[in-house]
Amino acid sequence: MEIAPLKGWVLDLVAHLDVACPGFAGAYLRASTERRQIIAAFMAAVRIGREGEREAAAMLVTADHRTILEYAFPTVPMGLRRALGKSGPQPHEPAYYRDLHQALLSGQRQVTAAIMQSPKLTPDRLAIITALPADLCDARIVHRVEARADAHDLTLVTSLLAERGIDRAEFIDALRRSTAPLKKVVQRWALQIPFPPHPIPAAKGYRPIRDGRELRKVALAYQNCSRRYTNASIVGENAFGEFTDDDSQTALICLQKHEDIWTLDGVYVRRNRQVAADLDKRAREFAARYGILERRYTTGSDDATAALKRFTRSVFDW
């Protein structure tokens, strides 16, 4: 029989109870994963006085699982024993057992279902389940959330999508049905978020890029990395538009906001090749008619980093 190692606060208590009731430590170490966790839950919930150590240890060795839980908690919610059985052989911190008991006692169906349907439980997994709002707390989503911070981010992103006009129920249904990593699903749906009002209105010879899908198509057409600016465009830090001059030459205009003032960051053509002088001039004059300022770069001779950026910006900025 292979015995899982034991460490932490439970080891200290087991050793202490073994003094009062010799053989208790061996019984605990040989116990099943479920029984280990049930005894740990008891220890987390009940303060055992010195005069009651022998009696408590004897009960923990001989009593069935249900009886131990009834000693530990005034009310034993349905599913607690099964949830403890999925919590692994190593006891967790005491707060985990109190949080698990409270989560199942709360009566929130989605929380109970997610706990019951999780193949294994840990403090992090429980924290993810209880952190998600009701419509996101679905086992098909929960098991793909990797960390507590990701649960927080997913909640924020879902709200953002809804605020920007994306149907919340449709997005969450897509999360449930997809087997892809959650980040892939979010990235795909984020392309649908409308960008804030463009600083230059649509006009003859100018087409503002309105959302991530359009920006992605433009990036593919121009074979550059403008799609990397999707997030910046969503929050209104950047804006893109396609300019066409009277000779049917096209270029992509990149605008950037600095202290609430829109500036022209650059004029680009396919594969970031050299822009024809006449096309570049016309694009800049067009933007200037709408109050778009030319972006100025520091020219200090002692700023080598700035100098390098001026020489390589068309390569690395895209």
Side-chain angles (χ1 to χ4, degrees), residues 96 99-101 103 111 115 121-131:
Y96 169 72
D99 292 343
L100 178 60
H101 175 261
V111 171
I115 290 173
L121 286 171
T122 64
D124 280 345
R125 187 58 40 192
L126 180 62
I128 288 168
I129 291 171
T130 55

Side-chain angles (χ1 to χ4, degrees), residues 266-282:
V267 178
Y268 301 91
V269 293
R270 194 167 181 266
R271 292 185 178 177
N272 294 330
R273 291 170 176 155
Q274 184 69 37
V275 184
D278 59 337
L279 175 60
D280 184 73
K281 180 182 177 182
R282 290 171 187 171

Side-chain angles (χ1 to χ4, degrees), residues 132-180:
L132 290 170
D135 52 359
L136 285 171
C137 189
D138 183 290
R140 291 165 290 182
I141 298 173
V142 168
H143 83 274
R144 288 149 60 209
V145 179
E146 296 179 359
R148 302 184 201 192
D150 295 331
H152 179 68
D153 285 348
L154 182 61
T155 300
L156 292 177
V157 166
T158 302
S159 295
L160 174 63
L161 288 168
E163 289 168 5
R164 293 296 188 88
I166 305 299
D167 188 288
R168 182 182 178 104
E170 288 185 8
F171 169 65
I172 293 176
D173 186 55
L175 290 175
R176 293 191 189 109
R177 288 186 289 104
S178 176
T179 57

